[in-house]
Amino acid sequence: MQHNFQLPFPSRGVNPHAKTVTERSAAWVQKMGLLDSFSTGQNYRPILIGELVARTHPTFPLDELQLIADWAMWLFINDDLFDKLSLPLLSERIDRYLAILDGERAATEDTPFVKGLYDLWNRTQPLVSTEWQTKFVSHLSTHLNSLIWEAETKHHNSAPDVATYLQMRQQTSGIDAYVDLLEISESFSLPPSIQASPPVQRLEQMVNNITSWANEVLSLEKELNQGDCLLNLVWLYHHNEQVSLEEAKSYVVDLCQAEIAIFEAQVSRLPSRDPDTLPNLQRYTDLLTDIITGTIEWHFVTERYRQHWKSKSGSQSKSTAKPLRVPTAAQSVGHLPHS
């Protein structure tokens, strides 16, 4: 069941270190013992984390790319683990994670995930400012705590309304923390006033929305096959609005395409009056675009989703998305402050 999202900005390619970071991340997972909690011995190699970060960060050097890949692997496996934990144990795990992010050391008796987080945090901190650390911890804490809402919702088997889900999906995705990791690169630096300005914040929010909503479409078959579709935007729209799944898919594709159009319009309207800030601002918007294109491309490469797209006859299902309804650029946001 493929849906071809129309991206107005071309991909900037794949980082040549993809294979290396995939192998090294697999070795790091084994070293940390992150799969010890899975009795079936799940294999995460086919999800191609190296391919993901190589597509979302095509210009990053190996060491920076490796750190991002290990963060991505930790987030993926932790998310899958949390689906298997009771609510009390989940809350206990999150409290311990937050303590590590607050400066506590990992103890011998801690879980592999706590030790893995401790390792990642120690490798990240020397590369970033204290202001960045505060922002990242806030985003990651919000993501982790939102997983309690997700678990409670599944426990009660209660489908939320679409508006509530859209709000919570921005938190459960973890994309905000992933976007923060762009700043471990030394190739650009934005003044705090620009980074915190409404136009840049809105761009980051749209990256979260676009990648999350595209994932809702492209992961639907996987979640249907696994009986875990309660928190999928396509299924929720189908359930709450009493429309067919195909109509619901088309709705979410339209929603995603509309956000892509607004993102493109917002980038084109960023002011260019500050010659010192402009190159770094352009660099940053290029990196945000890489995350959008790379994440969507990766869904068509990884077996995490592709293996579920085959119909009973073995052929790929065809998309039946409606013509797109694209909003005007007037819906974009504001102006940047002077740096």
Side-chain angles (χ1 to χ4, degrees), residues 211-325:
T211 54
S212 297
W213 299 343
N215 175 262
E216 302 291 91
V217 175
L218 297 169
S219 67
L220 178 64
E221 300 294 337
K222 167 182 173 286
E223 292 169 4
L224 287 172
N225 289 342
Q226 295 177 349
D228 188 28
C229 58
L230 181 68
L231 295 180
N232 179 288
L233 181 58
V234 175
W235 187 87
L236 283 172
Y237 190 73
H238 153 75
H239 172 77
N240 289 333
E241 301 299 324
Q242 296 295 295
V243 299
S244 70
L245 273 175
E246 284 303 314
E247 289 177 296
K249 291 174 198 171
S250 295
Y251 165 80
V252 178
V253 170
D254 282 359
L255 191 68
C256 191
Q257 290 290 165
E259 196 79 341
I260 289 169
I262 298 172
F263 178 91
E264 184 185 26
Q266 178 75 9
V267 168
S268 70
R269 294 182 65 203
L270 293 177
S272 58
R273 58 181 176 268
D274 186 343
D276 295 326
T277 299
L278 181 60
N280 282 331
L281 184 58
Q282 183 60 58
R283 166 72 170 155
Y284 189 58
T285 58
D286 286 345
L287 294 176
L288 293 178
T289 300
D290 289 338
I291 288 184
I292 294 172
T293 57
T295 301
I296 293 177
E297 285 177 348
W298 172 73
H299 281 78
F300 294 91
V301 175
T302 175
E303 286 302 301
R304 186 175 178 89
Y305 307 107
R306 279 170 47 86
Q307 63 179 311
H308 299 280
W309 289 348
K310 294 182 179 180
S311 67
K312 293 180 180 179
S313 63
S315 60
Q316 296 285 351
S317 301
K318 296 182 179 179
S319 167
T320 58
K322 298 180 293 183
L324 303 176
R325 297 183 296 275

Side-chain angles (χ1 to χ4, degrees), residues 101-163:
L101 294 172
D102 194 40
E104 288 194 20
R105 296 178 60 87
T108 303
E109 65 272 16
D110 273 322
T111 68
F113 284 88
V114 172
K115 294 175 182 177
L117 179 62
Y118 181 73
D119 176 79
L120 290 169
W121 195 224
N122 278 343
R123 290 160 58 192
T124 303
Q125 286 177 294
L127 304 177
V128 295
S129 67
T130 54
E131 291 81 7
W132 183 94
Q133 292 175 39
T134 298
K135 177 177 66 171
F136 180 79
V137 169
S138 175
H139 284 154
L140 188 56
S141 300
T142 297
H143 165 65
L144 292 170
N145 283 311
S146 73
L147 299 180
I148 296 177
W149 171 85
E150 191 175 72
E152 289 175 339
T153 302
K154 290 181 178 181
H155 176 75
H156 295 294
N157 196 34
S158 176
D161 60 78
V162 170

Side-chain angles (χ1 to χ4, degrees), residues 72-113:
M73 188 67 89
W74 186 89
L75 287 165
F76 265 101
I77 303 177
N78 182 73
D79 188 66
D80 287 349
L81 173 67
F82 273 21
D83 285 340
K84 304 176 184 296
L85 299 181
S86 66
L87 281 169
L89 186 54
L90 190 153
S91 296
E92 181 182 309
R93 292 287 181 92
I94 290 175
D95 287 343
R96 189 65 188 128
Y97 292 163
L98 297 183
I100 293 296
L101 294 172
D102 194 40
E104 288 194 20
R105 296 178 60 87
T108 303
E109 65 272 16
D110 273 322
T111 68
F113 284 88

